[in-house]
Amino acid sequence: MGAEPPANKSTERSKKKPPFPLLAPVRSLLSGWTGLAFWLLLLLLLALYPYTGVSSVALFVGSQIFVLVTLASNWNLIGGMTGYVDFGHAVFFGIGAYMMGILVTGTPLLISPEWGFWQALPVSGVAAALFALLVGLPTLRLKGPYFSIAMLGTLVAMREIARVLRPITGGGVGLNLPPLLNRLGDYYLMLAVMGLVVSLIWWIQRSEFGQSLIAIREDEIGAEMRGINTTLHKIAAFMIAAFFTGIVGGFWAWQNTYIDPDVVFVEARTVEMVMMSMLGGLGTVWGPPLGAVVIYYMEDLLWANLFDSHLLALGVLLVAIVLFMPEGILGTLGDRSSTSLGRLLSRVGRSK
Amino acid sequence: MDQLLQALVSGLLLGGFYAVMVLGFSVIWGVMGVINLAHGEFLMIGAYMAWGLFRFFGMDPFASLVLILPFMFLVGYLLQIVLINRIVERPHLMTLLVTFGVSIAIANLFKIQFTSDPRNVAVAYNGSVQLAGVTFPIVKTIIFGVALFIMVCLHLFLQRTRLGKSIRAAAQNKTAARIVGVDINRVYAITAGICIALTAAAGAMLSPTQAIFPFMGPPFTLKAVTITALGGLGRIPGALMGGMVLGVTEIFVSTYVPGIGTNLGVATSFILLVLILVVRPQGLMGGLRPIDAEAE
């Protein structure tokens, strides 16, 4: 079955032309500066969107989509570009959410600071980044599936720890944040965060830093031989991804006004991040945002029609994407620029 | 002293359960190199089946193994043929993602079917026996006995029977096994069937001792990984040893660290796991294939 000699595979691959030649102009437009220009134009249009007199529900939907896009892009930085598939990325979301919850409510143990939202938000991100440093130092030394499992373990363990540390986190009862409704503010805040994160990913992919990350993904030992400080690069990418995930977590806690271990440290959120990135195209700049939007509307549809079973559908969908579309939408449409993780996935045969 | 002895006995009894719980996971990983992240969910299915049979037919959880084992063998066999055999040759990441998706789907399917209310199987012999100043909970002692029995059976099966030998051959060298005429796909499917049946059996045995709910799986998956890292892949004595080490560690942490209870068991096993993997990537007893450049 899969025991063909390796020489066959490489010739077969080089002969294979990218499908959908008609889309070639679109592909070239999306790459490089024009892609960024389109992105900025889209951001501008989205910034003007509230002026068309939309309801607060639409603003809420908007901020939810921006949250998903930000999460997907963050996950893509570590999972798609660096090739460290993180099954526990929701842990940073949870850390950020809890940091926000603790700082604005002031739990008995801490000398209740009762900070405002704007003071607490950066701290949520910094806390998540520091946690990433702490966890990443041992776990980023692990390879392949071991890293994934160790991160999944971090997530499960943090959920239990949050439940046990009752004086700080409120245990299983959770924390109630002051309810302050500001849909317009939420919308613009998340629009700004999303714009920043996606532009950052765009810049990273073109920079030497990003190329080093891709080199690490393709061949870590080789990258190290070429003089790339792999540990530093991996930790940096991990911390950047964790920082923004923490910010999003803090924002989410504020918007949701209630957190407990079971709503913030959930595997389903990680699955969402993995799926959005995979659906769009792992390791591409524009794939994860596209995947996030598709998944949001798909979930919305499922939520409306099947209500309870949307997570079930999510799991089935993940299996289907991995089996039938491992290169994602952009990869399937022929964007070969940086989807090689997906291509590697679809290739038959294990590592030596 | 009594407390120490009690903790030791409790830990060993728990370890026996862990050993039988990990067998399925460890053999699947060892034979076909698939890390089954849906392991805990199959355990959960077994526990729910035991609950259902107990609740509606008054069947004893240990007696229900007679029904659960063949049924779950079939489930595992079909799952392997339909899904996993298609991707078993691909990089680890792919099987990891697929089993992750399967685990989410199963857990949520059960949540829809049975809600997330915890279920209990209250057997009549839920007491305990005092022996030389040490308490032996009856159910856990039976679990320990059955676990040892299952392990001996599996060991004999793998060592003595023709089928067991072809499973071991497929694990050692797939190409060579194929050359000498082993039908790899069938062997894999049978292996998966046996492993998933064993996992569900472990879940069924667990049902009298703890609440059953749809999201009970992931901690067990994590513990299975830890034990496999401790004891090595697909080795029955290794599984027993790893299970004992984890069981005793967990009980000692919950006995001697005040104010924490058993909730931190998962955290304990996680820290143990990361320590082992970082210090010895090949596992404590060796045998974990060091996966370098997995993306290749």
Side-chain angles (χ1 to χ4, degrees), chain A residues 291-309:
Chain A
V293 175
V294 173
I295 292 274
Y296 178 85
Y297 282 106
M298 212 183 273
E299 272 189 17
D300 204 40
L301 199 74
L302 290 171
W303 184 261
N305 295 324
L306 300 166
F307 187 59
D308 239 3
S309 52

Side-chain angles (χ1 to χ4, degrees), chain A residues 1-3 83 85 87 135 138-139 141-146 148-154 156-157 159-161 163-164 217-221 267-268 270-271 274 278 282 308-312 314-316 318-319 322-324 326 341 344-352, chain B residues 25 29 32-35 37 83 85-102 104-106 108-109 111-112 174-175 178 185 215 218-219 221-222 225 259-260 263-264 266-267 270 273-274 277-279 281 288-296:
Chain A
M1 267 179 69
V85 175
F87 276 176
V135 172
T139 57
R141 295 177 50 175
L142 306 174
K143 300 277 188 297
Y146 297 135
S148 309
I149 290 166
M151 286 310 295
L152 186 63
T154 313
V156 177
R159 181 165 62 213
E160 299 307 320
I161 288 172
R163 222 193 295 274
V164 170
R217 176 185 77 194
E218 299 295 314
D219 183 354
E220 184 157 350
I221 296 166
E267 289 93 349
T270 309
V271 183
V274 178
M278 284 207 74
L282 276 176
D308 239 3
S309 52
H310 86 287
L311 276 174
L312 165 67
L314 215 63
V316 175
L318 176 61
V319 175
V322 175
L323 284 182
F324 303 115
L341 187 61
L344 287 168
L345 268 182
S346 53
R347 191 191 301 166
V348 172
R350 279 182 193 285
S351 55
K352 298 146 266 183
Chain B
F25 181 82
W29 192 352
M32 42 194 152
V34 169
I35 301 174
L37 286 184
L83 203 59
N85 266 346
R86 300 167 58 114
I87 49 169
V88 79
E89 310 256 331
R90 304 270 179 86
H92 279 91
L93 184 56
M94 200 141 178
T95 50
L96 214 58
L97 284 166
V98 166
T99 54
F100 196 35
V102 168
I104 300 283
I106 294 180
N108 283 288
L109 183 69
K111 188 192 154 213
I112 296 164
K174 195 165 49 181
T175 320
R178 202 173 263 144
N185 279 345
F215 300 106
T221 310
L222 185 61
V225 182
I260 274 185
N263 259 352
L264 279 194
V266 179
F270 162 67
L273 171 68
V274 172
L277 287 182
V278 169
V279 179
L288 288 198
R289 289 166 204 158
I291 303 168
D292 279 314
E294 176 55 29
E296 266 301 308

Side-chain angles (χ1 to χ4, degrees), chain A:
Chain A
M1 267 179 69
E4 298 134 14
N8 262 349
K9 267 187 286 179
S10 56
T11 47
E12 191 188 329
R13 219 165 349 108
S14 56
K15 260 189 279 174
K16 198 174 163 190
K17 277 183 215 133
F20 305 109
L22 279 177
L23 285 172
V26 181
R27 284 200 291 274
S28 63
L29 269 183
L30 270 179
S31 59
W33 285 95
T34 41
L36 186 71
F38 274 121
W39 173 243
L40 293 177
L41 187 70
L42 182 67
L43 286 183
L44 185 69
L45 288 177
L46 286 172
L48 294 174
Y49 176 60
Y51 288 101
T52 56
V54 290
S55 64
S56 70
V57 176
L59 291 179
F60 179 70
V61 168
S63 61
Q64 291 299 303
I65 294 179
F66 302 158
V67 161
L68 289 183
V69 170
T70 315
L71 288 178
S73 292
N74 273 325
W75 190 87
N76 182 42
L77 180 61
I78 188 74
M81 277 193 189
T82 322
Y84 276 72
V85 175
D86 183 351
F87 276 176
H89 208 70
V91 75
F92 304 119
F93 184 92
I95 298 277
Y98 262 105
M99 209 61 205
M100 170 64 79
I102 290 166
L103 286 177
V104 298
T105 54
T107 44
L109 201 101
L110 292 168
I111 313 136
S112 136
E114 307 224 8
W115 284 6
F117 174 71
W118 291 108
Q119 291 151 299
L121 192 64
V123 181
S124 312
V126 170
L130 288 179
F131 186 75
L133 180 66
L134 197 72
V135 172
L137 280 177
T139 57
L140 282 172
R141 295 177 50 175
L142 306 174
K143 300 277 188 297
Y146 297 135
F147 172 77
S148 309
I149 290 166
M151 286 310 295
L152 186 63
T154 313
L155 176 67
V156 177
M158 278 312 289
R159 181 165 62 213
E160 299 307 320
I161 288 172
R163 222 193 295 274
V164 170
L165 288 178
R166 197 157 295 129
I168 302 174
T169 60
V173 184
L175 293 173
N176 283 301
L177 283 76
L180 286 176
L181 209 63
N182 181 2
R183 294 277 186 245
L184 193 65
D186 289 352
Y187 181 88
Y188 277 115
L189 174 65
M190 278 331 288
L191 181 65
V193 173
M194 175 185 77
L196 184 66
V197 167
V198 178
S199 311
L200 186 71
I201 302 284
W202 176 84
W203 176 78
I204 284 178
Q205 209 210 13
R206 292 169 62 90
S207 69
E208 195 185 325
F209 175 62
Q211 293 302 316
S212 307
L213 293 184
I214 292 173
I216 290 173
R217 176 185 77 194
E218 299 295 314
D219 183 354
E220 184 157 350
I221 296 166
E224 199 150 357
M225 295 290 205
R226 298 280 296 179
I228 294 170
N229 186 344
T230 50
T231 314
L232 187 73
H233 279 79
K234 285 187 290 185
I235 290 276
F238 202 44
M239 283 177 74
I240 293 171
F243 176 79
F244 287 107
T245 310
I247 294 264
V248 172
F251 165 79
W252 189 87
W254 180 260
Q255 197 186 34
N256 200 48
T257 70
Y258 171 74
I259 49 173
D260 75 14
D262 291 322
V263 298
V264 292
F265 293 113
V266 282
E267 289 93 349
R269 188 156 289 119
T270 309
V271 183
E272 269 182 0
M273 291 187 219
V274 178
M275 276 181 54
M276 294 182 297
S277 305
M278 284 207 74
L279 184 64
L282 276 176
T284 59
V285 179
W286 309 114
L290 181 68
V293 175
V294 173
I295 292 274
Y296 178 85
Y297 282 106
M298 212 183 273
E299 272 189 17
D300 204 40
L301 199 74
L302 290 171
W303 184 261
N305 295 324
L306 300 166
F307 187 59
D308 239 3
S309 52
H310 86 287
L311 276 174
L312 165 67
L314 215 63
V316 175
L317 205 61
L318 176 61
V319 175
I321 292 174
V322 175
L323 284 182
F324 303 115
M325 241 172 88
E327 295 179 46
I329 296 173
L330 288 190
T332 308
L333 291 183
D335 180 348
R336 297 268 179 244
S337 60
S338 48
T339 46
S340 71
L341 187 61
R343 251 185 299 148
L344 287 168
L345 268 182
S346 53
R347 191 191 301 166
V348 172
R350 279 182 193 285
S351 55
K352 298 146 266 183

